[in-house]
Amino acid sequence: SKFSRSLAVPLFCLVAITVSWYYGERFLSKEIEWALYFLYLVFWSVFAVICHRIVLLDSAPATGWIPRCTWREAKFLGWIVIVWSVYAVAFLTMMALPALVLANISGGIKFDQVEWLSALKIPASILAFYLVARLCLIFPAAALEKKANLQWAWEQSRNNGWRLAVVVGALPFVISRLLDFLYRENATVFECISLTFLGTAIFAVEIAALSISYRELTRDPQEEEIGKN
């Protein structure tokens, strides 16, 4: 099929990098770890762009089995860094503000207050992920090489933030937890590779769900009306 043929190479590369991390973490230098992390993001960008374009344009890469990394994929990778930087800043801010308030009121943070602050990680993460959900439409737009920015993504996702949070947050979380149950201690190399392959391949379904959300939320009612007539 178009999906399997177009995604085979980036999927294989993502699995190879993940397995290399798993088995070689103790032996890898920090420089090699960062290089692998960068390569993972590059191949992930290629993988995601292909998924978005197949779903939204029914268009497989013209190069066939061997996809190219162009300015489009580089821009997509840039948006990944920007959006997840927003998540990190939002999360750290929501964790830091209560700590600063407590420190200001009580003249310091006591041990029992540290435990209370740790409990804020989950709500802080959820709220920060809401911001990611509001901005995530930038990814399919970048894959289609549309002129878009974070303000545009925020406006397009208005009144649909929590629905998108389910697509880009809750759905991947549930699937990853289900896959965790399949892993076992002392798993064979074959089991590890197979489960890594399955988990990575399922990302295509999640990307497709985001593509469909993008198509629904950016649809122009006037164009639809013209098409009907």
Side-chain angles (χ1 to χ4, degrees), residues 88-100:
V89 170
F91 176 78
L92 292 174
T93 300
M94 284 184 277
M95 289 295 296
L97 284 177
L100 291 173

Side-chain angles (χ1 to χ4, degrees), residues 80-147:
I80 290 176
V81 174
I82 291 171
V83 170
W84 284 104
S85 295
V86 170
Y87 171 88
V89 170
F91 176 78
L92 292 174
T93 300
M94 284 184 277
M95 289 295 296
L97 284 177
L100 291 173
V101 171
L102 280 175
N104 188 50
I105 293 175
S106 59
I109 299 178
K110 300 176 182 178
F111 180 76
D112 59 335
Q113 292 174 330
V114 171
E115 292 185 343
W116 179 79
L117 287 172
S118 297
L120 290 177
K121 287 182 179 179
I122 293 177
S125 180
I126 292 173
L127 291 174
F129 223 103
Y130 172 81
L131 296 180
V132 172
R134 289 294 305 271
L135 301 174
C136 68
L137 294 181
I138 196 68
F139 296 126
L144 299 182
E145 299 180 276
K146 300 285 187 182
K147 290 184 178 180

Side-chain angles (χ1 to χ4, degrees), residues 15 44 53 63 69 71 106 115 135 144 180 213 217 220 227:
V15 172
W44 170 252
R53 292 181 70 82
T63 53
C69 185
W71 174 246
S106 59
E115 292 185 343
L135 301 174
L144 299 182
D180 284 343
S213 301
L217 294 177
D220 190 339

Side-chain angles (χ1 to χ4, degrees), residues 67-84:
R68 293 178 180 175
C69 185
T70 65
W71 174 246
R72 178 179 60 210
E73 285 74 22
K75 192 173 181 180
F76 190 95
L77 192 156
W79 283 121
I80 290 176
V81 174
I82 291 171
V83 170
W84 284 104

Side-chain angles (χ1 to χ4, degrees), residues 178-192:
L178 290 175
L179 287 172
D180 284 343
F181 287 117
L182 299 178
Y183 282 94
R184 66 181 182 88
E185 281 191 60
N186 303 318
T188 65
V189 175
F190 177 77
E191 286 177 312
C192 182

